[in-house]
Amino acid sequence: MGTLMLGAAPIGRPEDASPRLRAALAAAPVVAAEDTRRLRRLTADLGVQTTGRVVSYFDQNERARAAELLEELLAGRDVLVVTDAGLPGVSDPGYRLVVAAVAAGVPVTVLPGPSAVTTALVMSGLPTDRFCFEGFPPRKAGERARRLAALAAEPRTMVFFEAPHRLAATLAAMADAFGADRPAAVCRELTKTYEEARRGPLAELAAWAAEGVRGEITLVVGGAPEPAGLTDPGDLAAAVAAREEDGVPRKQAIADVARENGLPKREVYDAVLAAKE
């Protein structure tokens, strides 16, 4: 059998390509590329000449192409999969082919290299000991709000991808779901000339992004803080009152206190009403 190779492509600078990727590009009998034009630019930058057959392998043809590539592997030909940037299978084509190869007993190997996920994570200044990758948030506002609400209590640092034209709306939705003061970092154009990491509370980042942001975006958001552990109705009402004194609207203050203490919003609301009475 052939071997399925997943090659990590540079996320910005061609010189970040590994020697193993260079060698595989030159020698692989079959190269499956997310964008064959991007592949030609990469090989030209690297001074590498592909000798094998180059085929397109992108989201729209992934299912059909995976079956064709599996046939190549079963016939004894190695297949190298390369996406536009980063590692195949991480918010890019590759997963279906890996599943098919594993099921057929075909060897699978990875040529490690650049990753926007881990690059942004370590650049963010947020905790790196535990993290999760959430990919692209849903595009529709309602679906996005539900997805983020389900992540509100996630204690690990979260990494997302997002399109620049949707960044402001996503940051605003995150501020609503996670709290306006949840720390985050917007990492833009990683490894490129105009690389930037903008750090701050979600509400502040949403206001900044509303002015327009360009480039490829990786978003890192801090995990939910440990619950403060308040349970006494008087303490809960006092916590809401303290936020109101700082200018936070009551509805938002109740939601924040409920989230921080792992309680239903209704319980905190009832505590506020009881305190007034």
Side-chain angles (χ1 to χ4, degrees):
M1 291 185 182
T3 296
L4 173 60
M5 299 177 288
L6 306 172
I11 57 177
R13 296 177 180 271
E15 56 266 36
D16 289 337
S18 72
R20 289 183 66 195
L21 178 62
R22 293 169 182 261
L25 285 168
V30 181
V31 179
E34 184 177 12
D35 186 329
T36 56
R37 295 167 299 181
R38 294 276 295 263
L39 175 66
R40 285 196 294 270
R41 286 200 294 272
L42 176 61
T43 54
D45 288 339
L46 298 179
V48 173
Q49 179 67 48
T50 56
T51 56
R53 185 166 69 96
V54 176
V55 299
S56 62
Y57 182 52
F58 51 92
D59 288 336
Q60 285 70 32
N61 76 350
E62 182 179 8
R63 189 181 300 276
R65 188 71 84 188
E68 176 187 326
L69 294 173
L70 181 60
E71 291 180 4
E72 297 279 3
L73 291 161
L74 293 174
R77 287 179 283 275
D78 293 342
V79 173
L80 171 65
V81 177
V82 182
T83 57
D84 291 347
L87 194 62
V90 181
S91 282
D92 275 327
Y95 171 73
R96 285 192 176 93
L97 182 55
V98 171
V99 171
V102 170
V106 172
V108 178
T109 190
V110 174
L111 313 183
S115 166
V117 175
T118 51
T119 299
L121 176 68
V122 297
M123 181 184 287
S124 70
L126 295 167
T128 59
D129 53 338
R130 297 181 65 212
F131 72 95
C132 58
F133 175 60
E134 290 294 328
F136 284 90
R139 297 185 180 188
K140 295 183 179 179
E143 294 178 8
R144 182 172 57 217
R146 287 190 291 273
R147 176 76 61 81
L148 296 178
L151 293 170
E154 171 58 62
R156 296 171 294 179
T157 300
M158 296 170 282
V159 183
F160 300 83
F161 289 158
E162 188 52 290
H165 63 279
R166 291 194 297 270
L167 179 62
T170 293
L171 287 168
M174 287 180 171
D176 288 340
F178 303 156
D181 58 349
R182 181 78 71 90
V186 176
C187 300
R188 187 179 70 86
E189 293 291 87
L190 291 171
T191 78
K192 300 177 184 177
T193 302
Y194 298 104
E195 178 181 86
E196 177 184 19
R198 175 77 62 145
R199 305 172 182 87
L202 282 169
E204 180 181 303
L205 291 174
W208 162 75
E211 300 178 2
V213 179
R214 294 183 178 181
E216 296 184 351
I217 304 294
T218 305
L219 178 58
V220 187
V221 182
E226 289 292 329
L230 298 179
T231 57
D232 181 78
D235 292 338
L236 293 171
V240 172
R243 282 169 168 73
E244 287 188 273
E245 289 178 2
D246 290 336
V248 179
R250 178 172 298 170
K251 183 178 179 181
Q252 184 63 51
I254 289 173
D256 290 346
V257 172
R259 183 178 58 252
E260 291 171 7
N261 292 279
L263 298 172
K265 286 188 286 187
R266 182 70 192 186
E267 186 172 338
V268 179
Y269 176 75
D270 289 344
V272 172
L273 287 183
K276 285 180 174 290
E277 294 172 358

